[in-house]
Amino acid sequence: MSEIVQLIAAELNVQPKQVASAVALLDEGATVPFIARYRKEVTGGLDDGHLRTLETRLIYLRELNDRRSVILKNITEQEKLTPALANAIANASSKTDLEELYLPYKPKRRTKGQIAIEAGLAPLADGLLADLSQDPEQLAANYLNTDAGINEAKDALDGARFIVMERFAVDAELLKKIRQYLWQYGTIESAVVKGKENEGAKFSDYFEFSEALNKIPSHRALAVFRGRNEGVLNVTLNADPQSEEGVLTSAIEIMIAEHQGYQWQGLAAEAWLKQVIKWTWRIKISTHMETELFSQIREVSEESAISVFATNLKDLLMAAPAGAKATMGLDPGIRTGVKVAIVDNTGKVLDTAVIYPHEPQKAWDKSKRTLANLAARHKVSLVSIGNGTGSRETDKLVAELIKAEPELKLTKVMVSEAGASVYSASETAAAEFPDMDVSLRGAVSIARRLQDPLAELVKIEPKSIGVGQYQHDVSQSMLARALDAVVEDCVNAVGVDLNMASAPLLARVSGLNKTLAQNIVDFRDIEGRFTNRTQLKKVSRLGPKAFEQCAGFLKISNGDNPLDASSVHPEAYPVVKKIVETNQVAVNDIIGNGTKLAALNANDYTDEKFGLPTVTDIFKELEKPGRDPRPEFKTATFKDGVNTISDLTVGMKLEGVVTNVTNFGAFIDVGVHQDGLVHISAMSETFIDDPRKVVKAGDIVKVKVTEVDVPRKRIGFTMRLNDDVQAPAKSAANPTQNRQSRPARHHSNRPAKTSFGGGNTGAPAMGNAFADAFAKAKKK
């Protein structure tokens, strides 16, 4: 455990003591939000980012140690554990390194090499390797064994070849060298499967594609792998991308020879050994390396994609709430009508309806009257319109209503309806609205997510919210774990109103789960609203540990104790008591009184239990109790008359909402039912390496149209509004506007010819003899 602590401390650039304290708290059941906010003295101020990384690495390193123990036990039972091997296993820092050390000892099916050993051919293999001057045919004649099927010298030499191949193929040090070389110089290449050109048109950028293994961006890697999984692309590893056409010898074969210490001198058995090495690479190691390195690329790409999704989800959850106002939610539809739901300022459903302003009924005026009557009856302030099919037409309907009925004082807002249909059919929605039609539940969700995006979106499985990058191509367990952590962090950063929160929202609070959350709601329904945090201890199954974890994040407005409306933890109330008694004031006199608090010195109120970080946080909370970290609510205005992609023209300037941010740019909704892309290169006047430095999901931005491809439903934008953009010329072959394309092939930065001498290249150094051999092979 101490080694794990030391390693994580070095990776995070913090003190081992901080890591050890955090690990102890996590092992005791404390959550990351609780530790980050209320245990700063214990961890030395580790923030939630540090703690999430620490938690992930802790899980990985513990799994690594468990696997290490199993491997040591298995090799020991085989009586093959040497001090050197034990030391190598002890120092293995990754699961890949560990498994390669275990490879020679791993139980496996009966191989050709094992069969050859059983036939008595191991001495032949050893003899040839020890003295390459011997004639292979003559030596092999001594090992014929008709009972084992070794009837001639060729059979014996084949068996010896399999023995040596398997021996080379499990050499951990050799595999490490090859892996390093391939990672630095190899390329991943893809080509279209013959006959799949039309079916796989969306992968056309990868029909003839090559990029360095160590440089391919995550989104391209995942696209290539998806194309392979769908049977459209053949994807291969090229170990020698610099080689000329027709080269028969791979640089890896030279590496294997050098690693084994062989130098070609024209000896009798060298031809046999060269074939062994060629087969070792091409039959044994190449497939293994391709699988392993592609898995490594996929793993890195998945981590990147999950990070993108997590960041976008956080931005969406932390979007500005419109606030506690009566809201009308509209779930647009054409043939099936527009579903309407009215909720009050607490989110309670007041009324529902379905209107049919669009095809085929076209009851436009009647629909306007219905909406006007509902808005007037329930004193609606906000109209929340889902951005799905029929949204712009429905937006136009509401715009006419606002213009015709100014006394209603309505404000319309287009919101993302991602996940609304998932929520509608969920158990949560069924429990909440058992007698409501499924289609109307979506309208309720659309209304509520405008009032408070966080409170409503927590009811939806995070990955169904749809702000990810290749989210269906990544490990679903890793994705779920990462997104759940984001939701937990967001909910606890904002805090929860104990008397209004739904069970799904409460379940995301530190220390609570679905059972405890429902028990809180049941207690509230029976006993009435909570008037103080202490009442939580009366909730069924909510023990001291759960209370400690959750109490500071659950807020009570207008309760018995004004501190219950703040993020000050009940355990720290004595600090506030000390402050008010020392200064002879009432709690209400200092809450929100920045001037009076500024005159106090936080150091004067510290003690052995509560250090300066905690007291400083208390001062901040008293100054702005219950502060919401989310931004101020703003709305975007879509351009009138621009309702479909066909309405766009190159050069048009528009206002839109950022719906998704990826590693290569941001997607913008300008109200045409198809998001457009601002590539990272068009986001700023200066170079940026991360789109998130410029925008985040939910931002309102101004863009200029640079490209419109109606058949492929692709829109290009720039955020550099002064850019001179022109519509590309139309061609006879392609009457649609030509799409700007990138080069068909993406080549690695590897030099045209590889240096096999020494030098700090990151690849294994190779002797001149083998460089000469490689040169000769190329000439052949």
Side-chain angles (χ1 to χ4, degrees):
M1 189 63 223
S2 62
E3 292 176 358
I4 289 178
V5 167
Q6 294 286 343
L7 182 58
I8 295 176
E11 291 174 351
L12 296 179
N13 195 26
V14 298
Q15 295 299 314
K17 181 181 178 181
Q18 294 175 272
V19 175
S21 298
V23 169
L25 288 167
L26 288 169
D27 286 345
E28 291 169 5
T31 66
V32 166
F34 175 79
I35 298 170
R37 181 175 293 185
Y38 297 118
R39 291 296 179 263
K40 290 180 179 177
E41 286 91 347
V42 179
T43 67
L46 293 180
D47 60 26
D48 52 359
H50 278 121
L51 290 166
R52 286 295 179 195
T53 302
L54 184 155
E55 185 180 41
T56 300
R57 285 294 285 157
L58 181 64
I59 292 171
Y60 178 89
L61 293 173
R62 281 178 165 169
E63 289 176 350
L64 180 66
N65 271 356
D66 290 344
R67 181 59 178 160
R68 197 190 323 268
S69 298
V70 170
I71 288 173
L72 284 170
K73 180 175 180 292
N74 289 347
I75 298 177
T76 300
E77 289 174 351
Q78 296 175 38
E79 299 182 352
K80 295 178 180 179
L81 185 65
T82 64
L85 179 58
N87 184 60
I89 291 173
N91 291 319
S93 59
S94 72
K95 293 178 180 178
T96 299
D97 290 345
L98 198 57
E99 292 303 329
E100 284 193 349
L101 289 168
Y102 183 43
L103 197 56
Y105 312 97
K106 192 173 186 177
K108 52 180 76 74
R109 60 182 176 82
R110 197 160 171 256
T111 64
K112 291 182 178 180
Q114 288 173 323
I115 294 170
I117 291 172
E118 292 166 7
L121 297 177
L124 172 59
D126 293 336
L128 287 170
L129 292 178
D131 185 359
L132 293 175
S133 65
Q134 301 178 86
D135 184 292
E137 295 282 342
Q138 290 182 4
L139 191 59
N142 299 320
Y143 292 90
L144 301 184
N145 182 346
T146 54
D147 292 339
I150 313 298
N151 300 315
E152 54 184 274
K154 180 182 179 301
D155 297 333
L157 289 173
D158 284 345
R161 184 182 296 115
F162 288 124
I163 292 172
V164 178
M165 285 169 58
E166 291 178 14
R167 191 179 300 170
F168 287 175
V170 296
D171 185 328
E173 188 60 32
L174 172 62
L175 294 176
K176 183 176 181 181
K177 285 182 180 180
I178 293 174
R179 187 189 308 110
Q180 290 174 343
Y181 179 86
L182 291 174
W183 185 249
Q184 180 160 359
Y185 294 122
T187 59
I188 180 173
E189 300 188 348
S190 64
V192 63
V193 174
K194 190 174 181 179
K196 295 283 187 175
E197 291 83 357
N198 293 330
E199 179 185 336
K202 63 183 178 181
F203 296 105
S204 59
D205 290 341
Y206 304 98
F207 282 1
E208 188 185 356
F209 172 84
S210 176
E211 189 151 6
L213 283 175
N214 62 359
K215 288 185 170 59
I216 185 168
S218 62
H219 59 279
R220 286 211 282 269
L222 291 173
V224 166
F225 290 136
R226 178 185 287 182
R228 180 178 65 175
N229 292 340
E230 293 185 12
V232 174
L233 301 176
N234 287 320
V235 183
T236 56
L237 166 65
N238 188 346
D240 301 284
Q242 86 299 338
S243 296
E244 298 170 4
E245 198 72 31
V247 172
L248 300 178
T249 302
S250 169
I252 305 298
E253 294 168 30
I254 300 171
M255 185 182 300
I256 295 171
E258 184 188 54
H259 178 77
Q260 303 300 337
Y262 297 117
Q263 297 186 14
W264 309 131
Q265 300 173 12
L267 301 178
E270 285 182 0
W272 172 84
L273 181 57
K274 285 180 180 179
Q275 189 176 49
V276 168
I277 290 173
K278 183 181 290 291
W279 286 18
T280 298
W281 163 237
R282 307 208 172 190
I283 297 175
K284 289 286 185 182
I285 298 179
S286 63
T287 302
H288 166 70
M289 281 295 164
E290 181 176 280
T291 301
E292 181 185 309
L293 290 172
F294 282 4
S295 294
Q296 182 177 338
I297 291 172
R298 174 176 281 282
E299 184 177 329
V300 172
S301 299
E302 286 188 1
E303 288 176 359
S304 177
I306 289 171
S307 176
V308 167
F309 198 153
T311 301
N312 288 337
L313 178 62
K314 180 178 180 181
D315 293 336
L316 195 61
L317 293 175
M318 296 298 281
K325 300 175 182 177
T327 303
M328 175 186 291
L330 301 180
D331 186 359
I334 301 296
R335 183 183 57 81
T336 57
V338 177
K339 277 64 70 178
V340 185
I342 313 293
V343 299
D344 67 11
N345 59 358
T346 68
K348 179 182 177 182
V349 178
L350 301 176
D351 212 336
T352 61
V354 181
I355 57 175
Y356 298 89
H358 313 309
E359 297 286 352
Q361 290 91 336
K362 296 169 62 174
W364 189 266
D365 291 336
K366 181 180 179 182
S367 297
K368 267 198 302 185
R369 287 195 300 272
T370 299
L371 295 183
N373 291 335
L374 288 170
R377 186 186 316 153
H378 300 294
K379 297 181 174 57
V380 171
S381 299
L382 299 171
V383 180
S384 179
I385 306 169
N387 66 345
T389 303
S391 60
R392 287 312 305 271
E393 295 84 351
T394 304
D395 181 76
K396 182 180 178 182
L397 176 74
V398 178
E400 287 189 11
L401 171 63
I402 291 173
K403 186 175 181 180
E405 308 276 354
E407 67 278 4
L408 292 175
K409 298 180 180 179
L410 297 175
T411 299
K412 64 180 176 68
V413 183
M414 192 82 74
V415 301
S416 169
E417 62 178 39
S421 59
V422 174
Y423 164 77
S424 300
S426 68
E427 292 182 8
T428 300
E432 198 171 4
F433 306 111
D435 301 321
M436 184 181 291
D437 186 84
V438 172
S439 62
L440 290 171
R441 295 172 187 167
V444 175
S445 180
I446 288 170
R448 288 175 169 177
R449 66 178 58 187
L450 178 61
Q451 291 178 321
D452 190 338
L454 179 61
E456 189 62 23
L457 291 174
V458 294
K459 300 176 183 178
I460 303 167
E461 187 179 16
K463 66 181 181 181
S464 298
I465 296 175
V467 288
Q469 170 184 309
Y470 293 97
Q471 66 198 60
H472 301 296
D473 298 283
V474 304
S475 165
Q476 296 303 294
S477 59
M478 287 176 59
L479 178 64
R481 186 163 61 241
L483 299 186
D484 284 344
V486 169
V487 176
E488 182 183 41
D489 287 344
C490 291
V491 168
N492 290 285
V494 173
V496 170
D497 187 319
L498 183 55
N499 286 312
M500 291 181 61
S502 64
L505 182 58
L506 287 167
R508 297 289 188 170
V509 172
S510 171
L512 300 182
N513 53 35
K514 289 183 179 180
T515 300
L516 289 177
Q518 189 58 53
N519 289 350
I520 289 173
V521 172
D522 293 343
F523 181 91
R524 194 172 65 196
D525 290 342
I526 296 170
E527 303 293 336
R529 69 186 303 275
F530 287 88
T531 58
N532 60 72
R533 284 169 167 166
T534 305
Q535 289 176 293
L536 282 166
K537 296 179 179 179
K538 298 179 181 179
V539 173
S540 175
R541 301 178 69 178
L542 201 156
K545 189 66 179 180
F547 178 81
E548 177 190 59
Q549 294 289 309
C550 74
F553 301 103
L554 297 172
K555 301 176 183 179
I556 301 172
S557 300
N558 303 314
D560 299 336
N561 187 336
L563 294 178
D564 285 347
S566 73
S567 293
V568 178
H569 198 284
E571 68 184 10
Y573 285 1
V575 177
V576 180
K577 182 179 180 182
K578 183 178 180 181
I579 293 172
V580 298
E581 289 179 350
T582 301
N583 294 278
Q584 297 182 344
V585 295
V587 172
N588 286 327
D589 291 335
I590 60 170
I591 289 180
N593 192 331
T595 303
K596 194 166 278 188
L597 287 166
L600 305 179
N601 186 345
N603 282 301
D604 295 339
Y605 305 98
T606 61
D607 55 30
E608 293 181 358
K609 185 176 182 181
F610 302 107
L612 187 60
T614 294
V615 177
T616 301
D617 282 350
I618 290 172
F619 271 46
K620 289 179 181 177
E621 188 61 27
L622 290 175
E623 183 179 356
K624 294 182 178 179
R627 63 189 183 282
D628 194 324
R630 293 174 291 183
E632 182 184 353
F633 177 72
K634 295 178 182 178
T635 62
T637 303
F638 293 149
K639 189 168 185 175
D640 290 338
V642 178
N643 301 316
T644 69
I645 189 172
S646 300
D647 296 327
L648 296 176
T649 57
V650 171
M652 183 180 286
K653 293 182 180 179
L654 303 164
E655 187 170 85
V657 180
V658 178
T659 59
N660 198 355
V661 184
T662 69
N663 289 335
F664 53 86
F667 288 92
I668 315 295
D669 176 13
V670 294
V672 296
H673 309 305
Q674 180 63 50
D675 292 353
L677 173 67
V678 180
H679 190 265
I680 186 172
S681 61
M683 298 182 74
S684 171
E685 298 291 346
T686 58
F687 172 79
I688 57 169
D689 57 5
D690 184 354
R692 293 163 198 79
K693 293 180 178 178
V694 179
V695 297
K696 64 180 185 295
D699 281 355
I700 298 169
V701 296
K702 293 186 182 297
V703 294
K704 180 188 285 188
V705 180
T706 60
E707 177 186 1
V708 183
D709 187 339
V710 177
R712 298 181 72 182
K713 295 183 178 180
R714 292 194 178 186
I715 308 166
F717 293 127
T718 178
M719 290 173 61
R720 300 194 303 248
L721 300 183
N722 294 323
D723 280 0
D724 183 20
V725 296
Q726 297 180 355
K730 297 181 180 180
S731 67
N734 180 13
T736 62
Q737 291 178 331
N738 292 323
R739 178 171 165 266
Q740 194 176 26
S741 62
R742 63 169 179 260
R745 293 177 67 85
H746 300 260
H747 295 284
S748 72
N749 292 327
R750 180 175 179 173
K753 296 192 182 222
T754 306
S755 170
F756 292 114
N760 187 21
T761 64
M766 291 198 150
N768 292 332
F770 303 107
D772 293 341
F774 183 69
K776 290 177 183 177
K778 289 183 70 173
K779 289 179 182 178
K780 292 178 183 178

